[in-house]
């Protein structure tokens, strides 16, 4: 369905979308019922249907309720539950998360795999393709990609500055590699902002119009929904909450600054501080175990970290006025030991008038939130995206040669 787009193919694409939209809305329909609803000529409709069936987007089934007196049972057409329409991929720092939706916009599956932080892009894309291959449609077949519209991708770091200030002939390497692999446009955005989008559409803040999302992971970042719109900010810089200074002159940060929230509240920062306090934990699950066992060093540490996070959130609340704050990322798995001190500091530092008007919640979509946000970016149906750019798209043709990567 993603062929080069001349006027004729665009018209054809429009007809396909019309038919797919009717099947999405009404469920299985016969050719006659589709004809009545779509307004296309019989020849055009049958032509479009033949292509959709051949491409695997639509499947036929014999109806049990065949009208009497006819020689053969009426055949109905339905969306193929195994046909993927959009793929979302979150290229996080040390893990990869994928999810896909079919043409009915049902999530057909998701998968995740950890990897080393320095894994090259080629291998990350290989891994992504393998994980996508492991997803299967609700028909329990293999996910078919003939109907794929686009891939929505989240990456670490600032996305948007390139689109605004540089020419589009220099796409992100992952866009080039994914375009080669899947043959469809690749939309790119910051992975944490996509996680915020996922939580604001389907997760802890579903329906929220003013949402602040904070992810406590290997990096610390977030995303904002302001007045019912996902906020990108000038140069795509919105949501970099991890680089707000909490300790002037403190530890150096990856961003080039010092004393950022990330130097206190990232996974590495917390585990290092726990070990420095005599604790033993190689990773977050071990830290969670220590917390559950009532380890005093762990509880004291998280109390201090939570206080810093809560102070930052209070300042952000006073500036932005969210009604919902969502805390996500692996460190949120430590539960009340971290969330309660966050809540206390938020309460103590936010303007008193806001205290009982902002709701602090744990994220609900888990590690796949960013991949789901990538899907939302592709479908571009959420009202939260009505004023949001579709993301810097990779030119359709030609695929840039190796020198320009
Ligand atoms: Zn920083």
């Amino acid at each position: 369905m993603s062929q080069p787009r001349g006027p004729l193919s665009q018209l054809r694409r429009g007809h396909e979308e019309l038919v797919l939209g009717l099947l999405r809305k009404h469920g299985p329909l016969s050719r006659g019922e589709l004809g009545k609803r779509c307004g296309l000529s019989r020849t055009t409709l049958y032509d479009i249907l033949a292509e959709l069936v051949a491409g695997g987007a639509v499947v036929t089934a014999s109806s049990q309720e065949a009208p009497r007196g006819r020689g053969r049972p009426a055949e109905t057409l339905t969306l193929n539950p195994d046909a993927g329409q959009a793929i979302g991929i979150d290229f996080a720092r040390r893990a990869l998360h994928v999810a896909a939706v079919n043409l009915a916009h049902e999530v057909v599956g998701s998968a995740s795999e950890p990897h080393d932080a320095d894994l090259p892009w080629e291998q990350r894309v290989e891994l992504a393709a393998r994980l996508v291959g492991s997803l299967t449609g609700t028909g329990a077949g293999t996910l078919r990609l003939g109907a794929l519209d686009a891939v929505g991708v989240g990456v670490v770091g600032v996305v948007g500055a390139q689109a605004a200030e540089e020419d589009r002939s220099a796409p992100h390497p992952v866009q080039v590699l994914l375009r080669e692999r899947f043959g469809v446009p690749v939309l790119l955005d910051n992975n944490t902002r996509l996680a915020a989008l996922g939580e604001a559409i389907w997760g802890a803040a579903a329906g929220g119009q003013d949402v602040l999302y904070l992810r406590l992971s290997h990096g610390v970042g977030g995303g904002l929904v302001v007045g019912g719109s996902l906020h990108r900010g000038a140069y795509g810089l919105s949501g970099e909450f991890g680089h707000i200074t909490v300790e002037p002159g403190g530890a150096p940060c990856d961003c080039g600054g010092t004393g950022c929230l990330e130097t206190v509240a990232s996974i590495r920062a917390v585990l290092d501080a726990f070990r420095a306090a005599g604790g033993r934990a190689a990773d977050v699950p071990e830290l969670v175990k220590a917390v559950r066992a009532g380890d005093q060093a762990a509880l004291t540490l998280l109390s201090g970290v939570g206080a810093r996070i809560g102070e930052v959130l209070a300042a952000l609340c006073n500036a932005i006025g969210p009604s919902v704050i969502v805390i996500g990322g692996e460190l949120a798995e430590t539960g009340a030991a971290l969330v309660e001190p966050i809540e206390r500091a938020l309460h103590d530092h936010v303007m008193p008038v806001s205290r009982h008007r902002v709701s602090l919640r744990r994220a609900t979509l888990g590690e796949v939130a960013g991949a789901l946000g990538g899907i939302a970016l592709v479908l571009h149906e959420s009202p939260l995206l009505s004023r949001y750019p579709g993301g810097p798209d990779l030119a359709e043709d030609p695929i840039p040669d190796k020198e320009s990567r």
Side-chain angles (χ1 to χ4, degrees), residues 157-165 189-190 193 224 230-240 388-389:
V158 177
V159 176
Q162 301 91 330
E165 293 182 345
D189 212 321
N190 173 272
R193 195 151 59 228
L224 284 173
L230 182 66
H231 186 62
R232 188 175 206 161
Y235 317 113
L237 276 167
S238 172
E240 294 291 347
Y388 199 81

Side-chain angles (χ1 to χ4, degrees), residues 194-272:
L194 291 182
L197 177 63
E199 290 287 346
I201 297 176
W202 297 293
Q209 298 293 294
D210 293 279
V211 178
L212 192 163
Y213 170 82
L214 179 72
R215 175 143 86 172
L216 303 166
S217 183
H218 296 284
V220 174
L224 284 173
V225 169
V226 180
S229 286
L230 182 66
H231 186 62
R232 188 175 206 161
Y235 317 113
L237 276 167
S238 172
E240 294 291 347
F241 308 139
H243 302 288
I244 293 173
T245 306
V246 294
E247 285 184 342
C253 179
D254 289 347
C255 74
T258 56
C260 298
L261 180 62
E262 189 167 295
T263 67
V264 173
S266 70
I267 289 175
R268 189 179 65 192
V270 169
L271 290 178
D272 283 354

Side-chain angles (χ1 to χ4, degrees), residues 121-208:
W121 281 113
E122 284 81 2
Q123 289 174 43
R124 289 191 197 201
V125 168
E126 283 294 321
L127 178 56
R130 184 159 63 70
L131 290 180
V132 168
S134 75
L135 304 179
T136 55
T138 47
T142 305
L143 187 70
R144 296 181 59 144
L145 298 178
L148 192 64
D149 269 348
V151 182
V153 172
V155 293
V156 173
V158 177
V159 176
Q162 301 91 330
E165 293 182 345
E166 295 168 23
D167 69 278
R168 289 184 172 208
S169 63
H172 192 285
V174 79
Q175 284 182 293
V176 177
L177 293 166
L178 285 170
R179 168 78 177 168
E180 283 174 358
R181 173 69 63 150
F182 292 105
V184 293
V186 178
L187 308 181
L188 194 73
D189 212 321
N190 173 272
N191 65 335
T192 311
R193 195 151 59 228
L194 291 182
L197 177 63
E199 290 287 346
I201 297 176
W202 297 293

Side-chain angles (χ1 to χ4, degrees), residues 28-204:
L29 293 173
S30 69
R31 283 182 168 77
E33 289 165 332
L34 265 173
K36 274 182 221 152
R37 289 188 158 97
C38 74
L40 298 173
S41 77
R42 186 184 158 95
T43 315
T44 305
L45 174 63
Y46 277 45
D47 197 26
I48 294 287
L49 285 174
E51 286 257 320
L52 289 173
V53 170
V58 167
V59 288
T60 58
S62 297
S63 169
Q64 298 301 317
E65 297 145 28
R68 271 183 232 155
R70 295 280 179 90
R72 59 195 170 103
E75 194 176 56
T76 59
L77 296 127
T78 182
L79 297 175
N80 183 353
D82 297 326
Q85 184 180 357
I87 294 172
I89 307 175
D90 179 355
F91 289 95
R93 289 191 197 202
R94 294 166 180 268
L96 218 148
H97 313 286
V98 304
V101 289
N102 63 16
L103 289 160
H105 295 178
E106 298 158 339
V107 176
V108 297
S110 62
S112 297
E113 197 164 308
H115 59 68
D116 290 339
D118 56 359
L119 192 70
W121 281 113
E122 284 81 2
Q123 289 174 43
R124 289 191 197 201
V125 168
E126 283 294 321
L127 178 56
R130 184 159 63 70
L131 290 180
V132 168
S134 75
L135 304 179
T136 55
T138 47
T142 305
L143 187 70
R144 296 181 59 144
L145 298 178
L148 192 64
D149 269 348
V151 182
V153 172
V155 293
V156 173
V158 177
V159 176
Q162 301 91 330
E165 293 182 345
E166 295 168 23
D167 69 278
R168 289 184 172 208
S169 63
H172 192 285
V174 79
Q175 284 182 293
V176 177
L177 293 166
L178 285 170
R179 168 78 177 168
E180 283 174 358
R181 173 69 63 150
F182 292 105
V184 293
V186 178
L187 308 181
L188 194 73
D189 212 321
N190 173 272
N191 65 335
T192 311
R193 195 151 59 228
L194 291 182
L197 177 63
E199 290 287 346
I201 297 176
W202 297 293

